[in-house]
Amino acid sequence: MDLLEQKRLLRKEAAVRRTRAHADQGSAAATAVAYHAVALAQVLTPGWASGYLAMQDEMDVLPAILALAANGWQGCLPVVVGKAQPLRFRAWTPGVKLTNGVFGTRHPADGAEDVRPDLLLVPLLAFDRTGYRLGWGGGFYDRTLAELRNSGTPVAAVGVGYSAQEVDAVPRDHYDARLDWVVTEDDIIKITP
């Protein structure tokens, strides 16, 4: 079975796992993730922290962004610029006007400050303990992390999901970007090279 087929099958299975975990855990998981995100961020210098607006049954990271903001971080959200393009980021606080983006996303409207995140909370369908994640297949976060890491300024990539989304090994290729941590409702997992 080729890599694309392996990923396709795992996406299907992982989506079912995530749906179940979301139904079972609900907002309690988001609260636990916020606690873990703040604990993890204690080893970092506060700067810009990027979250995302959860779609469907993704882990809700807004409580984490708000908790990070209460601990000296500034919040931002990703903007999908176009197919096969890295994400861009705009400053966000509660009450900032949001606009509809592509693929059902929402982000701060034009005119919001463009920023470079220092910490990214990254959605996922599946993850493994070597730091690889499986997303929906658009490659947005892989391109974004490559661009940010190539800039020479440190960036911390934190996969965020339910513990039920862990798998033994995520199928990967050379372009798949590795995470630095994974945070679930149960744990903070530091990825070691």
Side-chain angles (χ1 to χ4, degrees):
M1 182 179 334
D2 74 1
L3 182 66
L4 292 178
E5 181 64 9
Q6 289 176 41
K7 286 185 173 187
R8 186 189 70 76
L9 291 174
L10 182 55
R11 277 187 187 96
K12 187 175 179 180
E13 174 192 322
V16 171
R17 282 179 170 196
R18 188 172 74 184
T19 298
R20 282 191 201 128
H22 180 75
D24 291 344
Q25 303 283 333
S27 62
T31 301
V33 161
Y35 175 81
H36 289 142
V38 169
L40 175 157
Q42 298 301 313
V43 300
L44 304 171
T45 302
W48 289 100
S50 172
Y52 56 86
L53 297 176
M55 294 172 47
Q56 299 170 13
D57 49 19
E58 288 177 333
M59 177 68 74
D60 180 7
V61 296
L62 287 184
I65 292 296
L66 296 174
L68 287 166
N71 284 273
W73 290 81
Q74 298 177 77
C76 61
L77 293 175
V79 178
V80 178
V81 178
K83 189 175 182 180
Q85 298 293 314
L87 299 167
R88 295 294 173 240
F89 299 87
R90 292 184 185 153
W92 177 85
T93 55
V96 165
K97 182 180 178 189
L98 298 175
T99 188
N100 293 329
V102 297
F103 307 117
T105 61
R106 293 183 51 74
H107 54 77
D110 291 343
E113 180 184 3
D114 290 326
V115 299
R116 182 205 184 275
D118 303 290
L119 169 67
L120 278 85
L121 300 180
V122 182
L124 49 80
L125 277 168
F127 70 91
D128 64 29
R129 293 215 172 218
T130 62
Y132 289 97
R133 67 177 273 280
L134 186 69
W136 282 113
F140 292 106
Y141 279 96
D142 294 317
R143 285 183 197 87
T144 302
L145 287 170
E147 179 180 80
L148 291 170
R149 288 171 172 161
N150 287 336
S151 75
T153 305
V155 62
V158 181
V160 182
Y162 299 95
S163 58
Q165 293 174 259
E166 182 176 352
V167 297
D168 290 336
V170 170
R172 62 182 183 268
D173 206 338
H174 68 282
Y175 52 79
D176 290 310
R178 185 180 237 174
L179 300 166
D180 300 300
W181 283 278
V182 175
V183 173
T184 71
E185 76 280 10
D186 294 334
D187 207 357
I188 301 170
I189 302 164
K190 171 73 172 135
I191 305 302
T192 53

